[in-house]
Amino acid sequence: MSDAAQPTAAEVRAAAEAVKTALDRHLAAVERRTGEDDPAVYEAFNELAAAAESYDELLYDRYDEVTPFEIPGADDSLPPYAGPEEPNALSVLIRRDYAVVEPQRLLAQAQRVEAAEFEDGADAEASGTVHGALGLLFGEFEPDEIASRHKEFGLEEGDSTLWVLAADEPAEPGEWLDTPFEQPDPQQVVCRFDVSSVFDDDLDQDEDEEDEDEEEDAEDEPAEDEEDEGARSQRSDADRVDR
């Protein structure tokens, strides 16, 4: 980067002050949180991450220095929010993945539902296949209930995500029913919440690396008994010289 394009010292200082302000806001949001998925905490987290990233870039460009902060990249795919400041409507997009790990349990649950609904018993054509059983169960139970009882239905949870999109006006009835899952405008996303086992894997990997570092440090240190034995040998040699 040329000297002309470098940020000024004042710009770096302003970015540092922005980090301090964002840090205070994040702490205040955490102290006032209303639940595990409080959107205010999520928003403050993103603001802090953005401020820290901006400061890190300016610090490097100006002084060729970096910060010790590692900013999670979960929201790197989302551009800055450009939606309405005071939304009059919103859309909630939810995706939950499942694996069918116990088909027989799934079929049995579907057959129970059919048996309760039809006096002549279960209809084998409807509940006798996995795709038919899935249609019955998701038609009978709300998605949140299936999420909380997924093991009862022979399912295993995979990744999930929830996006909240802002809009100026509510959609007209039936307006988007033909294509309900078209790519949403990322700039309209107010917040998103992701759940994935990959996050747990990353934490486990970090812990494993820390354990390995501790083991290596322990191997580098001489054993206490060896140190005592070496000291005793030196003292014995000294005693023989004196005598």
Side-chain angles (χ1 to χ4, degrees), residues 41-91:
V41 175
Y42 190 82
E43 181 180 357
F45 171 88
N46 285 337
E47 290 178 356
L48 176 58
E53 185 175 8
S54 176
Y55 170 63
D56 188 86
E57 291 177 356
L58 292 173
L59 186 71
Y60 181 80
D61 291 343
R62 175 69 184 183
Y63 299 110
D64 198 24
E65 278 291 341
V66 295
T67 66
F69 311 129
E70 182 178 355
I71 308 302
D75 292 335
D76 287 349
S77 60
L78 292 178
Y81 176 72
E85 289 298 325
E86 298 183 3
N88 295 314
L90 60 88
S91 295

Side-chain angles (χ1 to χ4, degrees), residues 12 27 52 54-55 67 75 87-88 106 119 128 148 160 164 218-219 234:
V12 179
L27 177 57
S54 176
Y55 170 63
T67 66
D75 292 335
N88 295 314
L106 176 72
E119 295 180 358
S148 63
S160 66
V164 179
E219 291 175 357
Q234 292 174 1

